Amino acid sequence: MANGIFHLAFNVRDLAEARAFYGGALGCREGRSAPTWIDFDFFGHQLSLHLGEPFPTTVTGRVGEHLVPMPHFGALLALPEWEALAERLRAAGLRFVIEPQLRFAGEPGEQWTMFFTDPSGNPIEIKGFRSLETVYDA
């Protein structure tokens, strides 16, 4: 399978808030922008944030012991990068929907996860793996 860059475009209510969150709190590099949108390098993938009303979400996705916001998007990181991001977000006082934690300990697909929302309420999950080669282990 060929490797490529994933692109996701969605709405945010305020570009200044989005710029501070994605560029500041998450540390994403800003790309091109216009008065109504901003592109970000989101862990190697392209997010295009457009002014508008965010998509509706509900807490209906069951994963392990948790109900998670649906739909959501995110990134998969190597564990050291995930741990550094979790610490940076904690230090910034970010309110988590699901606090950073280990999920499926000792099982195939063991992963660390954290859920939070951007200032417009868009749900984000960041997962961490000891090895990204185990992402699809069953």
Coordinates of all heavy atoms in Angstrom, one line a residue, residues 23-75:
G23 N -1.8 25.6 16.3 CA -0.5 26.1 16.2 C 0.2 26.1 17.6 O 1.4 25.8 17.7
G24 N -0.5 26.6 18.6 CA 0.2 26.8 19.9 C 0.1 25.6 20.8 O 1.1 24.9 21.0
A25 N -1.1 25.2 21.2 CA -1.2 24.0 22.1 C -0.7 22.7 21.5 O 0.0 22.0 22.1 CB -2.6 23.9 22.6
L26 N -1.1 22.4 20.3 CA -0.7 21.2 19.6 C 0.6 21.2 18.9 O 1.2 20.2 18.6 CB -1.8 20.7 18.6 CG -3.1 20.3 19.2 CD1 -4.1 19.8 18.1 CD2 -3.0 19.2 20.3
G27 N 1.1 22.4 18.7 CA 2.4 22.6 18.0 C 2.4 22.3 16.5 O 3.5 21.9 16.0
C28 N 1.3 22.4 15.9 CA 1.2 22.1 14.4 C 1.7 23.3 13.6 O 1.4 24.4 13.9 CB -0.3 21.8 14.0 SG -1.0 20.4 14.9
R29 N 2.5 23.0 12.6 CA 3.0 24.1 11.7 C 1.9 24.6 10.8 O 1.1 23.8 10.2 CB 4.1 23.5 10.9 CG 4.8 24.6 10.0 CD 6.0 24.0 9.2 NE 5.6 22.9 8.3 CZ 5.2 23.1 7.1 NH1 5.0 24.3 6.6 NH2 4.9 22.0 6.4
E30 N 1.7 25.9 10.8 CA 0.7 26.5 9.9 C 1.2 26.5 8.5 O 2.4 26.8 8.2 CB 0.4 27.9 10.4 CG -0.7 28.5 9.6 CD -1.2 29.9 10.2 OE1 -1.0 30.1 11.4 OE2 -1.6 30.7 9.4
G31 N 0.3 26.3 7.6 CA 0.6 26.3 6.1 C -0.1 27.5 5.5 O -0.2 28.6 6.1
R32 N -0.7 27.3 4.4 CA -1.3 28.4 3.7 C -2.6 28.8 4.4 O -3.2 28.0 5.2 CB -1.7 28.0 2.2 CG -0.5 27.6 1.4 CD -0.9 27.2 0.0 NE -2.0 26.3 -0.1 CZ -3.0 26.4 -0.9 NH1 -3.1 27.4 -1.8 NH2 -4.0 25.5 -0.9
S33 N -3.0 30.0 4.2 CA -4.3 30.5 4.8 C -4.9 31.6 3.9 O -4.3 32.1 3.0 CB -4.0 31.0 6.2 OG -3.2 32.2 6.2
A34 N -6.1 31.9 4.2 CA -6.9 32.9 3.5 C -7.8 33.5 4.6 O -7.8 33.0 5.8 CB -7.7 32.3 2.4
P35 N -8.6 34.5 4.3 CA -9.4 35.1 5.4 C -10.5 34.1 5.9 O -11.0 34.3 7.0 CB -10.1 36.3 4.7 CG -9.1 36.7 3.6 CD -8.5 35.4 3.1
T36 N -10.8 33.0 5.2 CA -11.8 32.1 5.7 C -11.3 30.7 6.0 O -12.1 29.8 6.3 CB -13.0 32.0 4.7 OG1 -12.4 31.5 3.4 CG2 -13.6 33.3 4.4
W37 N -10.0 30.4 5.9 CA -9.5 29.1 6.2 C -8.0 29.1 6.6 O -7.3 30.1 6.2 CB -9.7 28.1 5.1 CG -9.2 28.5 3.8 CD1 -9.9 29.2 2.8 CD2 -7.9 28.3 3.2 NE1 -9.0 29.4 1.7 CE2 -7.8 28.8 2.0 CE3 -6.7 27.6 3.7 CZ2 -6.7 28.8 1.2 CZ3 -5.6 27.6 3.0 CH2 -5.6 28.1 1.7
I38 N -7.5 28.1 7.2 CA -6.1 27.9 7.6 C -5.8 26.4 7.4 O -6.5 25.5 7.8 CB -5.8 28.2 9.0 CG1 -6.3 29.5 9.5 CG2 -4.3 28.1 9.3 CD1 -6.3 29.7 11.0
D39 N -4.6 26.1 6.8 CA -4.1 24.8 6.7 C -3.1 24.6 7.8 O -2.3 25.5 8.1 CB -3.4 24.5 5.4 CG -4.3 24.3 4.2 OD1 -5.5 24.1 4.5 OD2 -3.9 24.3 3.1
F40 N -3.1 23.4 8.4 CA -2.1 23.0 9.4 C -1.5 21.6 9.0 O -2.2 20.7 8.5 CB -2.7 22.9 10.8 CG -2.9 24.2 11.4 CD1 -4.2 24.8 11.4 CD2 -1.9 24.9 12.1 CE1 -4.4 26.0 12.0 CE2 -2.1 26.1 12.6 CZ -3.4 26.7 12.6
D41 N -0.2 21.4 9.4 CA 0.5 20.1 9.3 C 0.1 19.5 10.7 O 0.7 19.8 11.7 CB 2.0 20.3 9.2 CG 2.7 19.0 9.2 OD1 2.2 18.0 9.6 OD2 3.9 19.1 8.8
F42 N -0.8 18.5 10.6 CA -1.3 17.8 11.8 C -0.6 16.5 11.9 O -1.0 15.5 11.3 CB -2.8 17.7 11.7 CG -3.4 17.0 12.9 CD1 -3.6 17.7 14.1 CD2 -3.9 15.7 12.9 CE1 -4.2 17.1 15.2 CE2 -4.5 15.1 13.9 CZ -4.7 15.8 15.1
F43 N 0.6 16.5 12.5 CA 1.4 15.3 12.6 C 1.6 14.6 11.3 O 1.5 13.4 11.1 CB 0.7 14.3 13.6 CG 0.5 15.0 15.0 CD1 -0.8 15.4 15.3 CD2 1.5 15.1 15.9 CE1 -1.0 16.1 16.5 CE2 1.3 15.8 17.1 CZ 0.0 16.2 17.4
G44 N 2.0 15.4 10.3 CA 2.3 14.9 9.0 C 1.1 14.8 8.0 O 1.3 14.4 6.9
H45 N -0.1 15.2 8.4 CA -1.2 15.2 7.6 C -1.8 16.6 7.5 O -1.6 17.5 8.4 CB -2.3 14.2 8.1 CG -1.7 12.8 8.2 ND1 -1.5 12.0 7.1 CD2 -1.1 12.2 9.2 CE1 -0.9 10.9 7.4 NE2 -0.7 11.0 8.7
Q46 N -2.6 16.9 6.5 CA -3.1 18.2 6.2 C -4.5 18.4 6.8 O -5.5 17.7 6.4 CB -3.1 18.6 4.8 CG -3.6 20.0 4.5 CD -3.8 20.2 3.0 OE1 -4.5 19.5 2.3 NE2 -3.2 21.3 2.5
L47 N -4.7 19.4 7.7 CA -6.0 19.8 8.2 C -6.3 21.1 7.5 O -5.4 22.0 7.5 CB -6.0 20.0 9.7 CG -5.9 18.8 10.6 CD1 -6.1 19.2 12.0 CD2 -6.9 17.7 10.2
S48 N -7.5 21.3 7.0 CA -7.9 22.6 6.5 C -9.1 23.0 7.3 O -10.2 22.4 7.3 CB -8.3 22.5 5.0 OG -7.2 22.2 4.2
L49 N -8.9 24.1 8.1 CA -9.9 24.6 9.0 C -10.6 25.7 8.4 O -10.0 26.7 8.0 CB -9.3 25.0 10.3 CG -8.3 24.0 11.0 CD1 -7.8 24.5 12.3 CD2 -8.9 22.6 11.1
H50 N -11.9 25.6 8.1 CA -12.7 26.6 7.5 C -13.7 27.3 8.5 O -14.2 26.6 9.3 CB -13.5 26.0 6.3 CG -12.6 25.5 5.2 ND1 -12.5 26.2 4.0 CD2 -11.8 24.4 5.1 CE1 -11.7 25.6 3.2 NE2 -11.2 24.5 3.9
L51 N -13.9 28.5 8.3 CA -14.9 29.2 9.1 C -16.3 28.6 8.8 O -16.7 28.5 7.6 CB -15.0 30.7 8.8 CG -13.9 31.5 9.5 CD1 -14.1 33.0 9.1 CD2 -14.1 31.4 11.0
G52 N -17.0 28.2 9.9 CA -18.4 27.7 9.7 C -18.8 27.0 11.0 O -18.1 27.0 12.0
E53 N -19.9 26.3 10.9 CA -20.5 25.6 12.0 C -19.9 24.2 12.0 O -20.0 23.5 11.1 CB -22.0 25.6 11.9 CG -22.7 25.0 13.2 CD -22.4 25.8 14.4 OE1 -22.1 27.1 14.3 OE2 -22.4 25.2 15.5
P54 N -19.3 23.8 13.2 CA -18.7 22.5 13.3 C -19.7 21.4 13.1 O -20.9 21.6 13.4 CB -18.1 22.4 14.7 CG -17.8 23.9 15.0 CD -19.0 24.6 14.3
F55 N -19.3 20.2 12.7 CA -20.2 19.0 12.6 C -20.7 18.6 13.9 O -20.0 18.8 14.9 CB -19.5 17.9 11.9 CG -18.2 17.4 12.4 CD1 -18.1 16.7 13.6 CD2 -17.0 17.8 11.8 CE1 -16.9 16.3 14.1 CE2 -15.7 17.4 12.3 CZ -15.7 16.6 13.5
P56 N -22.0 18.2 14.0 CA -22.5 17.7 15.3 C -21.9 16.4 15.7 O -21.5 15.6 14.9 CB -24.0 17.5 15.0 CG -24.1 17.4 13.5 CD -22.9 18.1 12.9
T57 N -21.7 16.3 17.0 CA -21.2 15.0 17.6 C -22.0 14.5 18.7 O -22.8 15.3 19.3 CB -19.7 15.3 18.1 OG1 -19.8 16.2 19.2 CG2 -18.8 15.8 17.0
T58 N -21.9 13.2 18.9 CA -22.6 12.6 20.1 C -21.6 11.6 20.7 O -20.7 11.1 20.1 CB -23.9 11.8 19.6 OG1 -23.5 10.8 18.6 CG2 -24.9 12.8 19.0
V59 N -21.9 11.4 22.0 CA -21.0 10.5 22.7 C -21.6 9.1 22.6 O -22.3 8.6 23.5 CB -20.8 10.9 24.2 CG1 -19.9 10.0 24.9 CG2 -20.3 12.3 24.2
T60 N -21.4 8.4 21.5 CA -22.0 7.1 21.2 C -21.1 6.0 20.8 O -21.5 4.8 20.7 CB -23.0 7.3 20.0 OG1 -22.3 7.7 18.9 CG2 -24.2 8.2 20.4
G61 N -19.8 6.3 20.6 CA -18.9 5.2 20.2 C -18.3 4.5 21.5 O -17.7 5.1 22.3
R62 N -18.6 3.2 21.6 CA -18.1 2.4 22.7 C -16.8 1.8 22.3 O -16.6 1.1 21.4 CB -19.1 1.3 23.1 CG -18.6 0.5 24.3 CD -19.6 -0.3 25.0 NE -20.7 0.4 25.5 CZ -20.6 1.1 26.7 NH1 -19.5 1.1 27.4 NH2 -21.7 1.7 27.2
V63 N -15.8 2.1 23.2 CA -14.4 1.6 23.0 C -14.0 1.2 24.4 O -13.8 2.0 25.3 CB -13.4 2.6 22.4 CG1 -12.1 2.0 22.3 CG2 -13.9 3.1 21.1
G64 N -13.8 -0.1 24.6 CA -13.5 -0.6 25.9 C -14.6 -0.2 26.9 O -15.8 -0.4 26.7
E65 N -14.1 0.4 28.0 CA -15.1 0.9 29.0 C -15.6 2.3 28.8 O -16.4 2.8 29.6 CB -14.3 0.9 30.4 CG -13.8 -0.5 30.8 CD -12.9 -0.4 32.0 OE1 -12.8 0.7 32.6 OE2 -12.3 -1.4 32.4
H66 N -15.3 2.9 27.7 CA -15.6 4.3 27.5 C -16.6 4.5 26.3 O -16.5 3.8 25.4 CB -14.4 5.2 27.2 CG -13.4 5.2 28.3 ND1 -13.6 6.0 29.4 CD2 -12.2 4.6 28.5 CE1 -12.6 5.9 30.3 NE2 -11.8 5.0 29.8
L67 N -17.4 5.5 26.5 CA -18.2 6.0 25.3 C -17.4 7.3 24.9 O -17.0 8.1 25.6 CB -19.6 6.5 25.8 CG -20.6 5.3 26.0 CD1 -21.9 5.9 26.6 CD2 -20.8 4.6 24.7
V68 N -17.2 7.3 23.5 CA -16.3 8.4 23.0 C -17.1 9.2 22.0 O -18.1 8.7 21.4 CB -15.1 7.8 22.3 CG1 -14.2 7.0 23.3 CG2 -15.4 6.9 21.1
P69 N -16.7 10.5 21.8 CA -17.4 11.3 20.8 C -17.3 10.8 19.4 O -16.2 10.4 19.0 CB -16.7 12.7 21.0 CG -15.8 12.6 22.1 CD -15.6 11.1 22.4
M70 N -18.4 10.8 18.7 CA -18.5 10.4 17.3 C -19.1 11.5 16.5 O -20.1 12.1 16.9 CB -19.3 9.1 17.2 CG -18.7 7.9 17.9 SD -17.0 7.5 17.3 CE -17.5 6.9 15.6
P71 N -18.6 11.8 15.3 CA -17.4 11.4 14.8 C -16.2 12.1 15.5 O -16.4 13.1 16.2 CB -17.4 11.7 13.3 CG -18.4 12.9 13.3 CD -19.4 12.7 14.4
H72 N -15.0 11.6 15.3 CA -13.8 12.3 15.8 C -12.7 12.0 14.9 O -12.8 11.1 14.0 CB -13.5 11.9 17.2 CG -13.1 10.4 17.4 ND1 -14.1 9.5 17.8 CD2 -12.0 9.7 17.2 CE1 -13.5 8.3 17.8 NE2 -12.2 8.4 17.5
F73 N -11.6 12.7 15.0 CA -10.4 12.4 14.2 C -9.2 12.5 15.1 O -9.3 12.8 16.3 CB -10.3 13.4 13.0 CG -9.9 14.8 13.5 CD1 -8.6 15.2 13.5 CD2 -10.9 15.7 13.9 CE1 -8.2 16.5 13.9 CE2 -10.6 17.0 14.3 CZ -9.2 17.4 14.3
G74 N -8.0 12.1 14.6 CA -6.9 12.2 15.5 C -5.6 11.8 14.7 O -5.5 11.8 13.5
A75 N -4.6 11.4 15.6 CA -3.4 10.9 15.0 C -2.8 9.8 15.9 O -3.2 9.6 17.0 CB -2.4 12.1 15.1

